Amino acid sequence: NDYTIEAIPHTGLFAFGSEYFFGAGIQSESPALFRQMTGMVPIQTISLGRTGVSRQEFENWCQLQMATNRFSAQAYDLLECNCNHFAHVGALEG
């Protein structure tokens, strides 16, 4: 069976002036630099409200997710563990 996947949308988390995204591990860039590097522009932006954690707390959470292989570069899977999964979990737990 051959399958064609026309598109898998990119999602990331915008917090503390940076876009956090998952691919080769969890990374962050300024939104402008991310768009310049990838050529991707937002189709939709959804506000999730304000966070009660500090930038350092969120970045510590990100480091822990990579160290435990939950969102490490090796854990990336196009269908099972991608940027969409990271954005969902990061918004709930991060």
Side-chain angles (χ1 to χ4, degrees):
N1 290 336
D2 290 335
Y3 298 96
T4 300
I5 299 173
E6 293 186 23
I8 293 181
H10 165 75
T11 55
L13 293 173
F14 179 76
F16 313 110
S18 295
E19 181 166 347
Y20 292 82
F21 56 97
F22 174 60
I26 299 171
Q27 302 168 71
S28 67
E29 294 289 349
S30 75
L33 183 57
F34 176 82
R35 291 179 185 111
Q36 180 183 358
M37 290 178 356
T38 65
M40 290 190 273
V41 295
I43 295 171
Q44 182 179 27
T45 302
I46 300 170
S47 176
L48 301 178
R50 296 189 174 274
T51 181
V53 300
S54 69
R55 178 184 203 123
Q56 189 60 56
E57 289 170 320
F58 183 70
E59 291 187 356
N60 288 346
W61 178 86
C62 290
Q63 291 297 321
L64 180 63
Q65 302 314 298
M66 290 191 294
T68 60
N69 205 38
R70 186 176 191 187
F71 288 109
S72 66
Q74 297 79 18
Y76 185 88
D77 179 272
L78 182 63
L79 299 177
E80 299 293 326
C81 187
N82 60 37
C83 60
N84 301 296
H85 297 94
F86 163 72
H88 176 81
V89 173
L92 294 175
E93 297 178 13

